[in-house]
Amino acid sequence: MGKVSSLIRYLGTGFLRERSLVLTLVVLPILLLVTGRISAPADMVAFTMDSTLIISNSETMLLSLYALTAVVLVASVSSFSFSFNFKPVVPRLTLLGYQTVEISFAFLLLVGGINLFAVGVTWLYVTSVMDVQDPFGLFVGLVFASIIFSTIGLILSDLTTSKTLGLYLVLTLAMMDTAFIENPVFSRRYNDKWVDLMPSHHSLTIILRSVYETGTDWSSILPQVLLYELILVLFLILTRKFKATIL
Amino acid sequence: MRQVLFLTKIFLKNLFRQPSIVFSSIILPLVVLWSTWWVTADLPMTFELANAEQDVSSSMIDVHVVTGSLTAMAITAGLFGFIITNEYRKISDRLELVGYSPTTTGFAIFLSLFVTLSFSIVITVFLANFLAAPKDPLGLTLAIVLVSLIYVSLGNLVAIIIPKATEGTLILLIVAFIDLMVLTNPMGGGVYLESWTYYLPGFWPIQVALEASFLGNASVSTMVYPLIYFVLTVILILFVRNARARSTMSFLSGGN
C-alpha cells in the first residue's frame, strides 16, 4: 500500500499542476448542465421503469441524463489522456520493481479521485436546482458512472497506440451510451435486454431510482454495478500484465 | 500558391499514413449517424423553421437522422481539425522559422484537413440520404458541407488557442453536442428558434438541412449565413496564427 500511495503522489503532482484541470472538471460539466436546463421544453414526459409509469417534467429527466453525460465525458477523456501521457513511464516503473497491480491501482485511484471533483460539482448543481428523492443515491450513481468510464479510459489507453483513435473511441462510446441509447423517452432501444451490458446502464438506473419514486430501492442494483467494475479492473490488470510479460 | 500546394501534399501523405484516420474520418461519423437512426423512437413531431412560414410535421426519426448527420460531421470535423492542427503545431512553427508564412502553413493544414474530410462527407451524405430520404438531397449535402467547413475551422482555431488535447477535445465535443443536438435542434425544444441561437455555428446549417429535407428547397438567404460564419472564422484563424508567429519571432529575436 505504501508503494501505491507514493506512486499516486508522484503521478498526481504532475497531473494536479495543470491549471486547465479547472476547465475540465468544473467549467465543462456546468456548461453542459446549464444548457440542458435552459433548453428543457415545458412539456411533460412519460416512461416506464421498474414496471412503474413515471410522468415527469422534461427538465428533471434531462438534467438527470445530462448529469450522467457530463460525469462520463469528463471521466473517460481525463483518464484516457492521463494514462496515455504516462504510458512511457509504465515500463520504467515495472523495471523499477512495481507490480502491474500496484501501477494499475495507483492510476485508477488517482484518476477516480480527481474525477470525483466533477462528480461533486455535478451533484451540487443538480441537487440545488431540482428535487431529488434520494440525493445520496444520485451521488452513488454518478460516482459509479465516473469510476466505470475512468477504467474504460485506462483500458483503451493501453490498447490503442494512437491518441486520436483512442480519444475518438472513448468519446464515441461515452456519447452513444449516455446521450442516445440510455434515454428512456427518445430511445426505442432503452428496454432491450442488451442495454444492460452498456457501461452506464446500471449507474443510470441508480440515478433514476434516486430521482423518481419507482418503488424499488436503488441499492438493489449495487451487486451488478460492482461486478461490472470488477470485471473491467480485472481486464485492465490482465492487459497490463500481458504487456509487462512481453516487455 | 505553389508553396501551399507543396505543403498540402506533404501533410496529406503524412495523414494517410495513419491508420486511425480511417476510424476518425469514416467509421466515427457512420457510427454516430447510424445509431441516431437505429435508436430514436418513432414519435410524431411538429416544428417551425426560421425562414419559412409553414410548420413541418414529421417522424422524430427523420428529424433526428437529418440533424444527426450534421452533428456527426460537426463532431468529426471539429475533433479532426483540432487534433491534426495540434499535432502539426511544432511542424508549422519550424516551417515558419525557415521562411514559410503563417498564412501559407495555415492554408496548407486547412486544405489537407478538408481533402481528408471530403471522404467522410461523401459517406455521411450517402448514408443520410439513404436513411432519411430528404426531399432535396442536394440541399442536405450542402448543409453537411457547410457544417463541416465551420467546425473544421473551429477545431483549427481551438487548437491554436488551447493546445492541450484533453481540454480541446472536450470543449469541441461539448460545444458541437450542445450546439447541434440541444440549442439549434427542433428536438432540443426549449430554446429552439430563440433569437440568440441564430449566432451559434450550427444554427443556419441545421436550418438549411431542415428546409431541404422537409420543404424540398433551401432558400439562398439561409445558405449565405453559414458561409459568412465560415469566412469570418478563417479570417480569425489567420489573424491568430499571424499574431502567434509574430510573438514567437519576437521571443526568438530577444524581444526587440
PDB file of all heavy atoms in Angstrom, chain B residues 79-111:
ATOM      1  N   LEU B  79     -13.255  17.678 -34.095  1.00  0.00           N
ATOM      2  CA  LEU B  79     -12.199  16.910 -33.416  1.00  0.00           C
ATOM      3  C   LEU B  79     -11.004  16.685 -34.336  1.00  0.00           C
ATOM      4  O   LEU B  79      -9.863  16.813 -33.943  1.00  0.00           O
ATOM      5  CB  LEU B  79     -12.746  15.558 -32.947  1.00  0.00           C
ATOM      6  CG  LEU B  79     -13.767  15.574 -31.816  1.00  0.00           C
ATOM      7  CD1 LEU B  79     -14.135  14.155 -31.417  1.00  0.00           C
ATOM      8  CD2 LEU B  79     -13.239  16.309 -30.603  1.00  0.00           C
ATOM      9  N   PHE B  80     -11.311  16.379 -35.571  1.00  0.00           N
ATOM     10  CA  PHE B  80     -10.266  16.123 -36.556  1.00  0.00           C
ATOM     11  C   PHE B  80      -9.424  17.387 -36.773  1.00  0.00           C
ATOM     12  O   PHE B  80      -8.192  17.349 -36.740  1.00  0.00           O
ATOM     13  CB  PHE B  80     -10.941  15.688 -37.853  1.00  0.00           C
ATOM     14  CG  PHE B  80     -10.032  15.001 -38.803  1.00  0.00           C
ATOM     15  CD1 PHE B  80      -9.504  13.770 -38.500  1.00  0.00           C
ATOM     16  CD2 PHE B  80      -9.710  15.589 -40.006  1.00  0.00           C
ATOM     17  CE1 PHE B  80      -8.656  13.135 -39.376  1.00  0.00           C
ATOM     18  CE2 PHE B  80      -8.874  14.959 -40.890  1.00  0.00           C
ATOM     19  CZ  PHE B  80      -8.342  13.740 -40.573  1.00  0.00           C
ATOM     20  N   GLY B  81     -10.110  18.497 -36.965  1.00  0.00           N
ATOM     21  CA  GLY B  81      -9.413  19.787 -37.155  1.00  0.00           C
ATOM     22  C   GLY B  81      -8.542  20.111 -35.971  1.00  0.00           C
ATOM     23  O   GLY B  81      -7.400  20.553 -36.114  1.00  0.00           O
ATOM     24  N   PHE B  82      -9.074  19.844 -34.772  1.00  0.00           N
ATOM     25  CA  PHE B  82      -8.327  20.162 -33.557  1.00  0.00           C
ATOM     26  C   PHE B  82      -7.088  19.269 -33.421  1.00  0.00           C
ATOM     27  O   PHE B  82      -5.972  19.751 -33.245  1.00  0.00           O
ATOM     28  CB  PHE B  82      -9.220  19.983 -32.326  1.00  0.00           C
ATOM     29  CG  PHE B  82      -8.463  20.094 -31.037  1.00  0.00           C
ATOM     30  CD1 PHE B  82      -8.143  21.344 -30.525  1.00  0.00           C
ATOM     31  CD2 PHE B  82      -8.024  18.973 -30.359  1.00  0.00           C
ATOM     32  CE1 PHE B  82      -7.417  21.466 -29.362  1.00  0.00           C
ATOM     33  CE2 PHE B  82      -7.293  19.075 -29.200  1.00  0.00           C
ATOM     34  CZ  PHE B  82      -6.994  20.324 -28.689  1.00  0.00           C
ATOM     35  N   ILE B  83      -7.313  17.963 -33.521  1.00  0.00           N
ATOM     36  CA  ILE B  83      -6.216  17.026 -33.242  1.00  0.00           C
ATOM     37  C   ILE B  83      -5.093  17.144 -34.279  1.00  0.00           C
ATOM     38  O   ILE B  83      -3.913  17.173 -33.931  1.00  0.00           O
ATOM     39  CB  ILE B  83      -6.755  15.585 -33.127  1.00  0.00           C
ATOM     40  CG1 ILE B  83      -7.588  15.483 -31.842  1.00  0.00           C
ATOM     41  CG2 ILE B  83      -5.628  14.564 -33.090  1.00  0.00           C
ATOM     42  CD1 ILE B  83      -8.357  14.214 -31.676  1.00  0.00           C
ATOM     43  N   ILE B  84      -5.469  17.255 -35.536  1.00  0.00           N
ATOM     44  CA  ILE B  84      -4.425  17.339 -36.579  1.00  0.00           C
ATOM     45  C   ILE B  84      -3.666  18.666 -36.487  1.00  0.00           C
ATOM     46  O   ILE B  84      -2.437  18.696 -36.564  1.00  0.00           O
ATOM     47  CB  ILE B  84      -5.055  17.151 -37.980  1.00  0.00           C
ATOM     48  CG1 ILE B  84      -5.734  15.773 -38.081  1.00  0.00           C
ATOM     49  CG2 ILE B  84      -4.011  17.312 -39.075  1.00  0.00           C
ATOM     50  CD1 ILE B  84      -4.857  14.571 -37.823  1.00  0.00           C
ATOM     51  N   THR B  85      -4.389  19.764 -36.283  1.00  0.00           N
ATOM     52  CA  THR B  85      -3.707  21.062 -36.148  1.00  0.00           C
ATOM     53  C   THR B  85      -2.757  21.025 -34.946  1.00  0.00           C
ATOM     54  O   THR B  85      -1.642  21.546 -34.998  1.00  0.00           O
ATOM     55  CB  THR B  85      -4.723  22.203 -35.966  1.00  0.00           C
ATOM     56  OG1 THR B  85      -5.724  22.072 -36.953  1.00  0.00           O
ATOM     57  CG2 THR B  85      -4.066  23.565 -36.084  1.00  0.00           C
ATOM     58  N   ASN B  86      -3.236  20.398 -33.875  1.00  0.00           N
ATOM     59  CA  ASN B  86      -2.423  20.296 -32.671  1.00  0.00           C
ATOM     60  C   ASN B  86      -1.154  19.477 -32.926  1.00  0.00           C
ATOM     61  O   ASN B  86      -0.064  19.827 -32.482  1.00  0.00           O
ATOM     62  CB  ASN B  86      -3.272  19.618 -31.587  1.00  0.00           C
ATOM     63  CG  ASN B  86      -2.865  20.080 -30.218  1.00  0.00           C
ATOM     64  OD1 ASN B  86      -2.110  21.033 -30.079  1.00  0.00           O
ATOM     65  ND2 ASN B  86      -3.359  19.413 -29.205  1.00  0.00           N
ATOM     66  N   GLU B  87      -1.316  18.380 -33.687  1.00  0.00           N
ATOM     67  CA  GLU B  87      -0.159  17.530 -33.998  1.00  0.00           C
ATOM     68  C   GLU B  87       0.845  18.273 -34.891  1.00  0.00           C
ATOM     69  O   GLU B  87       2.046  18.045 -34.810  1.00  0.00           O
ATOM     70  CB  GLU B  87      -0.619  16.250 -34.705  1.00  0.00           C
ATOM     71  CG  GLU B  87      -1.067  15.173 -33.730  1.00  0.00           C
ATOM     72  CD  GLU B  87      -1.467  13.887 -34.424  1.00  0.00           C
ATOM     73  OE1 GLU B  87      -1.168  13.706 -35.609  1.00  0.00           O
ATOM     74  OE2 GLU B  87      -2.117  13.064 -33.758  1.00  0.00           O
ATOM     75  N   TYR B  88       0.327  19.136 -35.776  1.00  0.00           N
ATOM     76  CA  TYR B  88       1.200  19.854 -36.719  1.00  0.00           C
ATOM     77  C   TYR B  88       1.736  21.176 -36.153  1.00  0.00           C
ATOM     78  O   TYR B  88       2.370  21.936 -36.854  1.00  0.00           O
ATOM     79  CB  TYR B  88       0.440  20.145 -38.018  1.00  0.00           C
ATOM     80  CG  TYR B  88       0.304  18.931 -38.915  1.00  0.00           C
ATOM     81  CD1 TYR B  88      -0.567  18.940 -39.980  1.00  0.00           C
ATOM     82  CD2 TYR B  88       1.052  17.784 -38.703  1.00  0.00           C
ATOM     83  CE1 TYR B  88      -0.717  17.835 -40.811  1.00  0.00           C
ATOM     84  CE2 TYR B  88       0.913  16.676 -39.512  1.00  0.00           C
ATOM     85  CZ  TYR B  88       0.033  16.713 -40.562  1.00  0.00           C
ATOM     86  OH  TYR B  88      -0.104  15.622 -41.362  1.00  0.00           O
ATOM     87  N   ARG B  89       1.423  21.419 -34.895  1.00  0.00           N
ATOM     88  CA  ARG B  89       1.815  22.685 -34.287  1.00  0.00           C
ATOM     89  C   ARG B  89       3.329  22.921 -34.380  1.00  0.00           C
ATOM     90  O   ARG B  89       3.785  23.964 -34.836  1.00  0.00           O
ATOM     91  CB  ARG B  89       1.366  22.654 -32.835  1.00  0.00           C
ATOM     92  CG  ARG B  89       1.217  23.981 -32.168  1.00  0.00           C
ATOM     93  CD  ARG B  89       0.835  23.734 -30.716  1.00  0.00           C
ATOM     94  NE  ARG B  89       0.936  24.959 -29.968  1.00  0.00           N
ATOM     95  CZ  ARG B  89      -0.030  25.846 -29.905  1.00  0.00           C
ATOM     96  NH1 ARG B  89      -1.155  25.648 -30.543  1.00  0.00           N
ATOM     97  NH2 ARG B  89       0.124  26.954 -29.211  1.00  0.00           N
ATOM     98  N   LYS B  90       4.087  21.904 -33.942  1.00  0.00           N
ATOM     99  CA  LYS B  90       5.547  22.062 -33.924  1.00  0.00           C
ATOM    100  C   LYS B  90       6.092  22.153 -35.354  1.00  0.00           C
ATOM    101  O   LYS B  90       6.979  22.945 -35.635  1.00  0.00           O
ATOM    102  CB  LYS B  90       6.187  20.877 -33.198  1.00  0.00           C
ATOM    103  CG  LYS B  90       6.207  21.075 -31.701  1.00  0.00           C
ATOM    104  CD  LYS B  90       6.950  19.976 -31.006  1.00  0.00           C
ATOM    105  CE  LYS B  90       6.791  20.151 -29.493  1.00  0.00           C
ATOM    106  NZ  LYS B  90       6.993  18.910 -28.790  1.00  0.00           N
ATOM    107  N   ILE B  91       5.518  21.331 -36.236  1.00  0.00           N
ATOM    108  CA  ILE B  91       5.992  21.337 -37.629  1.00  0.00           C
ATOM    109  C   ILE B  91       5.764  22.711 -38.249  1.00  0.00           C
ATOM    110  O   ILE B  91       6.655  23.265 -38.909  1.00  0.00           O
ATOM    111  CB  ILE B  91       5.260  20.256 -38.460  1.00  0.00           C
ATOM    112  CG1 ILE B  91       5.571  18.870 -37.890  1.00  0.00           C
ATOM    113  CG2 ILE B  91       5.643  20.324 -39.932  1.00  0.00           C
ATOM    114  CD1 ILE B  91       4.773  17.746 -38.498  1.00  0.00           C
ATOM    115  N   SER B  92       4.569  23.272 -38.012  1.00  0.00           N
ATOM    116  CA  SER B  92       4.306  24.577 -38.642  1.00  0.00           C
ATOM    117  C   SER B  92       5.174  25.675 -38.022  1.00  0.00           C
ATOM    118  O   SER B  92       5.584  26.606 -38.711  1.00  0.00           O
ATOM    119  CB  SER B  92       2.815  24.938 -38.588  1.00  0.00           C
ATOM    120  OG  SER B  92       2.363  24.947 -37.294  1.00  0.00           O
ATOM    121  N   ASP B  93       5.492  25.544 -36.728  1.00  0.00           N
ATOM    122  CA  ASP B  93       6.416  26.516 -36.103  1.00  0.00           C
ATOM    123  C   ASP B  93       7.776  26.471 -36.800  1.00  0.00           C
ATOM    124  O   ASP B  93       8.375  27.508 -37.099  1.00  0.00           O
ATOM    125  CB  ASP B  93       6.605  26.183 -34.613  1.00  0.00           C
ATOM    126  CG  ASP B  93       5.458  26.698 -33.774  1.00  0.00           C
ATOM    127  OD1 ASP B  93       4.594  27.410 -34.328  1.00  0.00           O
ATOM    128  OD2 ASP B  93       5.394  26.365 -32.573  1.00  0.00           O
ATOM    129  N   ARG B  94       8.239  25.227 -37.079  1.00  0.00           N
ATOM    130  CA  ARG B  94       9.548  25.083 -37.732  1.00  0.00           C
ATOM    131  C   ARG B  94       9.501  25.608 -39.169  1.00  0.00           C
ATOM    132  O   ARG B  94      10.432  26.266 -39.625  1.00  0.00           O
ATOM    133  CB  ARG B  94       9.972  23.609 -37.734  1.00  0.00           C
ATOM    134  CG  ARG B  94      10.504  23.189 -36.392  1.00  0.00           C
ATOM    135  CD  ARG B  94      10.796  21.720 -36.351  1.00  0.00           C
ATOM    136  NE  ARG B  94      10.681  21.242 -34.978  1.00  0.00           N
ATOM    137  CZ  ARG B  94      10.467  19.999 -34.630  1.00  0.00           C
ATOM    138  NH1 ARG B  94      10.344  19.082 -35.567  1.00  0.00           N
ATOM    139  NH2 ARG B  94      10.383  19.646 -33.379  1.00  0.00           N
ATOM    140  N   LEU B  95       8.383  25.309 -39.829  1.00  0.00           N
ATOM    141  CA  LEU B  95       8.244  25.793 -41.218  1.00  0.00           C
ATOM    142  C   LEU B  95       8.258  27.322 -41.256  1.00  0.00           C
ATOM    143  O   LEU B  95       8.836  27.930 -42.155  1.00  0.00           O
ATOM    144  CB  LEU B  95       6.936  25.271 -41.824  1.00  0.00           C
ATOM    145  CG  LEU B  95       6.914  23.789 -42.211  1.00  0.00           C
ATOM    146  CD1 LEU B  95       5.502  23.343 -42.539  1.00  0.00           C
ATOM    147  CD2 LEU B  95       7.834  23.538 -43.406  1.00  0.00           C
ATOM    148  N   GLU B  96       7.633  27.937 -40.252  1.00  0.00           N
ATOM    149  CA  GLU B  96       7.619  29.402 -40.216  1.00  0.00           C
ATOM    150  C   GLU B  96       9.016  29.960 -39.937  1.00  0.00           C
ATOM    151  O   GLU B  96       9.389  31.016 -40.437  1.00  0.00           O
ATOM    152  CB  GLU B  96       6.605  29.887 -39.171  1.00  0.00           C
ATOM    153  CG  GLU B  96       5.173  29.831 -39.709  1.00  0.00           C
ATOM    154  CD  GLU B  96       4.103  29.660 -38.642  1.00  0.00           C
ATOM    155  OE1 GLU B  96       4.335  30.068 -37.502  1.00  0.00           O
ATOM    156  OE2 GLU B  96       3.036  29.100 -38.979  1.00  0.00           O
ATOM    157  N   LEU B  97       9.801  29.197 -39.156  1.00  0.00           N
ATOM    158  CA  LEU B  97      11.168  29.652 -38.871  1.00  0.00           C
ATOM    159  C   LEU B  97      12.055  29.597 -40.122  1.00  0.00           C
ATOM    160  O   LEU B  97      12.989  30.377 -40.257  1.00  0.00           O
ATOM    161  CB  LEU B  97      11.801  28.786 -37.771  1.00  0.00           C
ATOM    162  CG  LEU B  97      11.350  29.092 -36.346  1.00  0.00           C
ATOM    163  CD1 LEU B  97      11.970  28.108 -35.367  1.00  0.00           C
ATOM    164  CD2 LEU B  97      11.733  30.511 -35.949  1.00  0.00           C
ATOM    165  N   VAL B  98      11.724  28.641 -41.029  1.00  0.00           N
ATOM    166  CA  VAL B  98      12.553  28.567 -42.243  1.00  0.00           C
ATOM    167  C   VAL B  98      11.975  29.412 -43.388  1.00  0.00           C
ATOM    168  O   VAL B  98      12.399  29.283 -44.533  1.00  0.00           O
ATOM    169  CB  VAL B  98      12.765  27.109 -42.730  1.00  0.00           C
ATOM    170  CG1 VAL B  98      13.547  26.312 -41.719  1.00  0.00           C
ATOM    171  CG2 VAL B  98      11.454  26.428 -43.081  1.00  0.00           C
ATOM    172  N   GLY B  99      10.991  30.209 -43.095  1.00  0.00           N
ATOM    173  CA  GLY B  99      10.573  31.197 -44.092  1.00  0.00           C
ATOM    174  C   GLY B  99       9.149  31.082 -44.616  1.00  0.00           C
ATOM    175  O   GLY B  99       8.694  31.968 -45.331  1.00  0.00           O
ATOM    176  N   TYR B 100       8.437  30.002 -44.294  1.00  0.00           N
ATOM    177  CA  TYR B 100       7.036  29.906 -44.748  1.00  0.00           C
ATOM    178  C   TYR B 100       6.198  30.878 -43.920  1.00  0.00           C
ATOM    179  O   TYR B 100       6.396  30.996 -42.706  1.00  0.00           O
ATOM    180  CB  TYR B 100       6.498  28.489 -44.547  1.00  0.00           C
ATOM    181  CG  TYR B 100       7.004  27.503 -45.584  1.00  0.00           C
ATOM    182  CD1 TYR B 100       8.144  26.735 -45.347  1.00  0.00           C
ATOM    183  CD2 TYR B 100       6.329  27.333 -46.779  1.00  0.00           C
ATOM    184  CE1 TYR B 100       8.612  25.839 -46.288  1.00  0.00           C
ATOM    185  CE2 TYR B 100       6.789  26.429 -47.733  1.00  0.00           C
ATOM    186  CZ  TYR B 100       7.932  25.687 -47.473  1.00  0.00           C
ATOM    187  OH  TYR B 100       8.384  24.798 -48.410  1.00  0.00           O
ATOM    188  N   SER B 101       5.260  31.551 -44.556  1.00  0.00           N
ATOM    189  CA  SER B 101       4.428  32.493 -43.795  1.00  0.00           C
ATOM    190  C   SER B 101       3.342  31.719 -43.050  1.00  0.00           C
ATOM    191  O   SER B 101       2.936  30.634 -43.485  1.00  0.00           O
ATOM    192  CB  SER B 101       3.787  33.497 -44.740  1.00  0.00           C
ATOM    193  OG  SER B 101       2.716  32.887 -45.421  1.00  0.00           O
ATOM    194  N   PRO B 102       2.863  32.250 -41.903  1.00  0.00           N
ATOM    195  CA  PRO B 102       1.805  31.575 -41.157  1.00  0.00           C
ATOM    196  C   PRO B 102       0.553  31.366 -42.020  1.00  0.00           C
ATOM    197  O   PRO B 102      -0.153  30.369 -41.858  1.00  0.00           O
ATOM    198  CB  PRO B 102       1.489  32.535 -40.006  1.00  0.00           C
ATOM    199  CG  PRO B 102       2.630  33.448 -39.914  1.00  0.00           C
ATOM    200  CD  PRO B 102       3.291  33.501 -41.246  1.00  0.00           C
ATOM    201  N   THR B 103       0.296  32.294 -42.944  1.00  0.00           N
ATOM    202  CA  THR B 103      -0.869  32.147 -43.822  1.00  0.00           C
ATOM    203  C   THR B 103      -0.704  30.919 -44.710  1.00  0.00           C
ATOM    204  O   THR B 103      -1.648  30.136 -44.889  1.00  0.00           O
ATOM    205  CB  THR B 103      -1.030  33.410 -44.701  1.00  0.00           C
ATOM    206  OG1 THR B 103      -0.877  34.548 -43.855  1.00  0.00           O
ATOM    207  CG2 THR B 103      -2.374  33.454 -45.379  1.00  0.00           C
ATOM    208  N   THR B 104       0.512  30.726 -45.247  1.00  0.00           N
ATOM    209  CA  THR B 104       0.764  29.568 -46.113  1.00  0.00           C
ATOM    210  C   THR B 104       0.592  28.259 -45.350  1.00  0.00           C
ATOM    211  O   THR B 104      -0.115  27.357 -45.808  1.00  0.00           O
ATOM    212  CB  THR B 104       2.210  29.634 -46.674  1.00  0.00           C
ATOM    213  OG1 THR B 104       2.404  30.914 -47.239  1.00  0.00           O
ATOM    214  CG2 THR B 104       2.453  28.557 -47.710  1.00  0.00           C
ATOM    215  N   THR B 105       1.220  28.151 -44.164  1.00  0.00           N
ATOM    216  CA  THR B 105       1.095  26.894 -43.398  1.00  0.00           C
ATOM    217  C   THR B 105      -0.352  26.690 -42.958  1.00  0.00           C
ATOM    218  O   THR B 105      -0.863  25.571 -42.982  1.00  0.00           O
ATOM    219  CB  THR B 105       2.014  26.888 -42.156  1.00  0.00           C
ATOM    220  OG1 THR B 105       1.782  28.078 -41.423  1.00  0.00           O
ATOM    221  CG2 THR B 105       3.464  26.786 -42.517  1.00  0.00           C
ATOM    222  N   GLY B 106      -1.006  27.802 -42.576  1.00  0.00           N
ATOM    223  CA  GLY B 106      -2.415  27.714 -42.150  1.00  0.00           C
ATOM    224  C   GLY B 106      -3.289  27.173 -43.262  1.00  0.00           C
ATOM    225  O   GLY B 106      -4.083  26.241 -43.058  1.00  0.00           O
ATOM    226  N   PHE B 107      -3.141  27.715 -44.458  1.00  0.00           N
ATOM    227  CA  PHE B 107      -3.955  27.271 -45.604  1.00  0.00           C
ATOM    228  C   PHE B 107      -3.640  25.817 -45.967  1.00  0.00           C
ATOM    229  O   PHE B 107      -4.532  25.053 -46.326  1.00  0.00           O
ATOM    230  CB  PHE B 107      -3.737  28.175 -46.816  1.00  0.00           C
ATOM    231  CG  PHE B 107      -4.731  29.300 -46.873  1.00  0.00           C
ATOM    232  CD1 PHE B 107      -4.314  30.620 -46.876  1.00  0.00           C
ATOM    233  CD2 PHE B 107      -6.094  29.039 -46.924  1.00  0.00           C
ATOM    234  CE1 PHE B 107      -5.233  31.660 -46.908  1.00  0.00           C
ATOM    235  CE2 PHE B 107      -7.019  30.069 -46.958  1.00  0.00           C
ATOM    236  CZ  PHE B 107      -6.587  31.376 -46.952  1.00  0.00           C
ATOM    237  N   ALA B 108      -2.348  25.459 -45.889  1.00  0.00           N
ATOM    238  CA  ALA B 108      -1.962  24.092 -46.240  1.00  0.00           C
ATOM    239  C   ALA B 108      -2.577  23.081 -45.277  1.00  0.00           C
ATOM    240  O   ALA B 108      -3.111  22.050 -45.693  1.00  0.00           O
ATOM    241  CB  ALA B 108      -0.440  23.965 -46.233  1.00  0.00           C
ATOM    242  N   ILE B 109      -2.545  23.384 -43.975  1.00  0.00           N
ATOM    243  CA  ILE B 109      -3.156  22.481 -42.978  1.00  0.00           C
ATOM    244  C   ILE B 109      -4.654  22.376 -43.256  1.00  0.00           C
ATOM    245  O   ILE B 109      -5.238  21.298 -43.275  1.00  0.00           O
ATOM    246  CB  ILE B 109      -2.892  22.994 -41.535  1.00  0.00           C
ATOM    247  CG1 ILE B 109      -1.424  22.817 -41.171  1.00  0.00           C
ATOM    248  CG2 ILE B 109      -3.773  22.244 -40.526  1.00  0.00           C
ATOM    249  CD1 ILE B 109      -1.039  23.339 -39.812  1.00  0.00           C
ATOM    250  N   PHE B 110      -5.263  23.537 -43.493  1.00  0.00           N
ATOM    251  CA  PHE B 110      -6.706  23.576 -43.708  1.00  0.00           C
ATOM    252  C   PHE B 110      -7.118  22.784 -44.956  1.00  0.00           C
ATOM    253  O   PHE B 110      -8.092  22.035 -44.937  1.00  0.00           O
ATOM    254  CB  PHE B 110      -7.138  25.040 -43.831  1.00  0.00           C
ATOM    255  CG  PHE B 110      -8.593  25.212 -43.564  1.00  0.00           C
ATOM    256  CD1 PHE B 110      -9.067  25.177 -42.259  1.00  0.00           C
ATOM    257  CD2 PHE B 110      -9.488  25.368 -44.589  1.00  0.00           C
ATOM    258  CE1 PHE B 110     -10.413  25.299 -42.001  1.00  0.00           C
ATOM    259  CE2 PHE B 110     -10.835  25.499 -44.338  1.00  0.00           C
ATOM    260  CZ  PHE B 110     -11.296  25.466 -43.040  1.00  0.00           C
ATOM    261  N   LEU B 111      -6.329  22.937 -46.004  1.00  0.00           N
ATOM    262  CA  LEU B 111      -6.634  22.242 -47.264  1.00  0.00           C
ATOM    263  C   LEU B 111      -6.495  20.725 -47.100  1.00  0.00           C
ATOM    264  O   LEU B 111      -7.354  19.961 -47.553  1.00  0.00           O
ATOM    265  CB  LEU B 111      -5.682  22.740 -48.351  1.00  0.00           C
ATOM    266  CG  LEU B 111      -6.183  22.699 -49.786  1.00  0.00           C
ATOM    267  CD1 LEU B 111      -7.446  23.526 -49.945  1.00  0.00           C
ATOM    268  CD2 LEU B 111      -5.115  23.213 -50.749  1.00  0.00           C
TER     269      LEU B 111
END
